[in-house]
Amino acid sequence: MDGDEDGLGHDSDELRAVDEPPVEPQDLRPPRKLRLWQIAPIVGLSALGSLMFAFPLAFEPGGGTGAVVSMLGLLICGCAAGWGVMAARRAGLMWPGLPARGSGDRPDWRVVLLYAVVVGTVVVLAIWRVARLR
């Protein structure tokens, strides 16, 4: 018998390979990101909505159609924001302060309340400003 074999006929190289921890497979795909074709329509819609919201407020002090155009611009801005949030979620991005999807952690109620207060305040101020046009 050779010195490299044990009594059962195995090489010492085979025994060393069994003793080593297994190699973990790694994901070679790049992390998911928002692509230009996803971002371009969102940015275009939000810019159009912002202009539709801002120009009647700034340049039409007594006109009758300013409130309608402003509300339509506000609606387009809201749709673009929702579209952007959904695209970011599909890319695997998450709101700051909230746990990642599938982690099993519960979101902190204070962070959720802060987001709700900020969004609610912006919506109330925008609607109040448009309502003052009439």
Side-chain angles (χ1 to χ4, degrees), residues 47-64:
L48 176 71
S50 297
L51 291 175
M52 287 177 69
F53 180 68
F55 275 108
L57 294 177
F59 298 117
E60 194 172 338

Side-chain angles (χ1 to χ4, degrees), residues 42 45-46 72-86:
I42 296 168
L45 270 181
S46 61
L72 183 59
L74 187 61
L75 179 66
I76 291 172
C77 282
C79 291
W83 192 5
V85 168
M86 293 310 295

Side-chain angles (χ1 to χ4, degrees), residues 13 15-23:
D13 292 336
L15 291 176
R16 269 188 248 128
V18 171
D19 291 339
E20 294 176 6
V23 176

Side-chain angles (χ1 to χ4, degrees), residues 88-110:
R89 185 176 171 155
R90 280 208 149 184
L93 302 175
M94 190 45 86
W95 286 88
L98 296 179
R101 263 182 24 189
S103 69
D105 295 338
R106 293 181 54 129
D108 187 11
W109 65 270
R110 293 172 292 208

